[in-house]
Amino acid sequence: MELHELATSPLSLGIIALSVATIGLYKHRSSSTTNYGGYSLPPGPPPDFLIGNLRQLPKHHMSARFTEWARKYGDIVHAQIPGLRFIIVNSYAVAQELLTKRPNTTAGRKNGFMFREIMGLWWTMPNLPPGPKLAEARKMLRRAIGPQRVGHHDPAIEKSAARAMVTLQTVKGGPTTAFFNEVGRLVTTVTYGEEMWRTMGDDLANWNCEQMKYINEAFFNFWPVDIMNFLRFIPSWMPGAYFKKMGDRSKWLSNQVRHIPFLKAQELYSSGVLGHSIAMDLLEEFGATENAQDALAILFLAGAETTSTALSAFCHALYLFPEVAQKVYAEITAVTEGMRLPTTNDRARLPYTEATWKEAFRWNTFMPIQIPHVTSQDEVINGHLIPAGSLVLPNNEAMFTDPGVWGDPESFRPERFLESGADSLPNPLVVIFGYGMRVCPGLYLADRIGFLYSASMAMLFDVLPLEGKTIPDPATVEYADIAMRLPVGFECQFVPRSEKAKQLLNTLALEA
């Protein structure tokens, strides 16, 4: 494999740039026999001289290769490329022990120069190193949308879910854009208030959408400037300097997303018209600080991405498995009598719907590999040494497809979360959102939004193929090879289940 080919894979979360930059420090070692103070490195594929495991890393579907290694080598796999070693964690128990119980030494980050400096995204949470700024940002978001406060946003979530259902009636094709747009509007109003959406909602949505496109491109491509930082000085008109044009645009977007809404929020707050929002809460408690500004921007920038992807995964499950969709529908209508949409207060009475929501996270998981952690000192786990400076990659795909844990992981079977012994299973809603001080602070809000949208969708609609199409065999579905992967070519239509559903949709449209 050529270096530029490897660079298009998920390991481009900084791995290649860091590896080549430090190639002179690399020393060839066997991944299974080298001992450090009596401890050996975890097992893994045998490395080649000088280039390590570079040839064994595929161009596409990196998580599938990692999962093959998990089946062969076990819960912890070691691999190395010039200048860097990485540890693939394939067990939830190991991930909890290493990343949750030892956060002081396993919560580092290493993202590339392109992302941090050229694109101006050093302030975002995936890039912040452990320290006061990260801690205060997390504290602010926990105060605003943590488990004790997230319920304050239920009225906005329920209103948004109703509006989204009205929109879905018109969708004939891929549903992801509709989900992203509606969730994006909700996240904007929760973060900055309704008045912010009315005055500059279109600009905010456009900036967010374009910036997320560049972020995905940056994470999953190799940039020479990550190795040779001096390339930042070349002019953008030079051949091969696309990274400069992209970086300039991204930096502009970063400044817009980071600064403009916060300045507007301060103006609205001073005028007394900001309204109920996280911005108001933070301004009143912490003042107009840079950390408050960045905490809001972090929530706004990333808030819609995971939630809309999870919604797409749930929608796809309803589409592929109509018998499951029928069971979810029956449970919800037994609670609502089909006369109203479900609310967040109904969730405790919807165990099968809850189980289906979890199974949508687990089955062909939409987040196969998480953003890597970096160790700051040597750690030992299960008798194996994890050296300082190792990149630790939680492999969700392996965790969610282990037959020893799930029995029949290839089956979409929500009942597994309702059976005896279900409490011992990893909770996919927890696994997806990370570990330790790197747990996504928006997890409670994202879960609340996603569940309510999903339950409302399942109650109102049959998710059906377009005219002339048929539901594919689930085993034949292909998935995009990106961080948050989606089924390739998924198109559907949302057909109201009954006359009662049509009447409810008409009522919702009048109230929207």
Side-chain angles (χ1 to χ4, degrees):
M1 176 189 296
E2 298 296 327
L3 184 60
H4 73 277
E5 291 179 331
L6 177 61
T8 62
S9 75
L11 279 187
S12 293
L13 294 163
I15 292 178
I16 303 305
L18 291 164
S19 301
V20 179
T22 55
I23 191 168
L25 302 178
Y26 174 75
K27 294 182 181 179
H28 174 68
R29 296 186 178 103
S30 165
S31 64
S32 60
T33 60
T34 302
N35 282 272
Y36 296 77
Y39 295 106
S40 63
L41 294 168
D48 294 324
F49 181 65
L50 290 181
I51 64 171
N53 300 110
L54 189 63
R55 291 190 306 113
Q56 292 124 318
L57 297 176
K59 179 179 178 181
H60 301 295
H61 301 292
M62 184 70 68
S63 62
R65 175 60 57 84
F66 285 173
T67 301
E68 289 176 13
W69 289 352
R71 303 292 179 256
K72 184 173 183 179
Y73 299 109
D75 290 347
I76 318 172
V77 175
H78 170 269
Q80 56 193 16
I81 52 180
L84 185 74
R85 66 177 76 254
F86 49 99
I87 307 296
I88 306 153
V89 176
N90 304 303
S91 155
Y92 180 63
V94 172
Q96 283 284 84
E97 174 62 33
L98 187 61
L99 303 177
T100 298
K101 296 182 180 179
R102 312 180 194 184
N104 293 334
T105 60
T106 62
R109 287 286 203 229
K110 282 185 180 178
N111 288 324
F113 190 82
M114 173 70 177
F115 190 86
R116 290 181 291 102
E117 304 299 333
I118 302 298
M119 297 175 65
L121 293 165
W122 62 269
W123 54 272
T124 57
M125 198 161 281
N127 281 292
L128 289 176
K133 186 173 180 66
L134 176 63
E136 186 165 31
R138 293 184 62 82
K139 174 183 176 181
M140 289 177 175
L141 293 177
R142 186 169 59 252
R143 297 277 185 89
I145 53 174
Q148 305 304 318
R149 297 291 297 274
V150 69
H152 294 188
H153 305 292
D154 284 349
I157 295 171
E158 291 169 5
K159 179 180 178 181
S160 174
R163 186 174 56 240
M165 296 308 106
V166 174
T167 299
L168 288 182
Q169 292 181 98
T170 65
V171 171
K172 290 186 186 241
T176 303
T177 298
F179 291 139
F180 184 85
N181 290 340
E182 290 297 333
V183 175
R185 176 176 177 177
L186 172 59
V187 170
T188 301
T189 56
V190 165
T191 305
Y192 294 111
E194 286 281 357
E195 186 62 25
M196 182 76 77
W197 176 260
R198 282 192 288 270
T199 57
M200 56 184 306
D202 289 343
D203 285 339
L204 293 174
N206 291 335
W207 295 339
N208 192 352
C209 185
E210 187 178 1
Q211 183 66 291
M212 290 308 301
K213 180 189 74 172
Y214 288 132
I215 286 172
N216 284 330
E217 185 175 358
F219 268 145
F220 293 96
N221 283 284
F222 168 63
W223 307 96
V225 72
D226 281 334
I227 304 169
M228 298 169 284
N229 296 168
F230 64 84
L231 292 176
R232 68 187 184 276
F233 297 116
I234 68 173
S236 58
W237 50 262
M238 285 189 64
Y242 165 70
F243 79 95
K244 284 292 296 285
K245 296 176 183 176
M246 173 181 158
D248 289 345
R249 179 62 180 173
S250 176
K251 186 172 287 186
W252 183 86
L253 290 166
S254 174
N255 287 332
Q256 299 301 106
V257 168
R258 188 182 179 210
H259 299 298
I260 300 303
F262 191 64
L263 292 172
K264 183 66 174 177
Q266 292 178 69
E267 177 186 321
L268 294 173
Y269 179 71
S270 298
S271 302
V273 294
L274 178 59
H276 176 63
S277 61
I278 295 172
M280 173 174 279
D281 293 342
L282 295 191
L283 285 170
E284 289 182 345
E285 183 170 356
F286 298 98
T289 66
E290 181 183 89
N291 284 346
Q293 166 194 268
D294 292 350
L296 291 167
I298 286 165
L299 176 59
F300 165 70
L301 182 61
E305 186 82 1
T306 302
T307 309
S308 58
T309 304
L311 281 167
S312 295
F314 186 91
C315 178
H316 192 232
L318 298 181
Y319 173 79
L320 289 179
F321 307 105
E323 69 284 359
V324 171
Q326 181 63 32
K327 291 179 182 179
V328 174
Y329 163 71
E331 181 180 71
I332 297 170
T333 52
V335 171
T336 67
E337 298 181 345
M339 302 300 293
R340 60 175 177 82
L341 291 184
T343 68
T344 52
N345 291 332
D346 294 322
R347 187 168 184 173
R349 295 187 290 164
L350 300 173
Y352 188 80
T353 307
E354 179 82 31
T356 305
W357 178 235
K358 290 179 180 178
E359 186 74 338
F361 275 62
R362 184 203 68 82
W363 187 80
N364 275 308
T365 181
F366 58 85
M367 187 179 289
I369 300 176
Q370 293 187 8
I371 297 175
H373 293 228
V374 176
T375 55
S376 60
Q377 69 179 42
D378 291 354
E379 289 288 350
V380 174
I381 185 167
N382 291 1
H384 296 298
L385 177 75
I386 312 299
S390 297
L391 216 63
V392 180
L393 295 98
N395 183 8
N396 291 341
E397 182 171 311
M399 295 181 199
F400 288 147
T401 59
D402 184 351
V405 174
W406 304 100
D408 57 345
E410 71 286 349
S411 299
F412 189 93
R413 195 170 62 82
E415 290 81 2
R416 71 178 76 249
F417 293 105
L418 303 173
E419 296 167 345
S420 175
D423 289 345
S424 65
L425 295 174
N427 184 347
L429 306 183
V430 174
V431 174
I432 286 292
F433 287 105
Y435 302 90
M437 70 173 64
R438 291 297 177 179
V439 169
C440 174
L443 72 94
Y444 300 104
L445 181 63
D447 174 59
R448 218 168 180 93
I449 295 169
F451 182 86
L452 195 60
Y453 270 54
S454 295
S456 300
M457 175 171 53
M459 177 189 136
L460 289 173
F461 299 110
D462 283 311
V463 184
L464 301 176
L466 300 180
E467 297 296 331
K469 302 291 185 179
T470 59
I471 298 174
D473 180 343
T476 67
V477 175
E478 295 183 6
Y479 293 83
D481 189 27
I482 55 177
M484 293 188 189
R485 65 181 181 184
L486 291 168
V488 175
F490 171 41
E491 296 186 325
C492 65
Q493 57 181 322
F494 297 85
V495 179
R497 287 182 175 273
S498 64
E499 284 301 316
K500 191 178 286 189
K502 290 180 182 178
Q503 292 170 11
L504 180 53
L505 284 163
N506 288 336
T507 301
L508 295 175
L510 292 174
E511 296 174 349

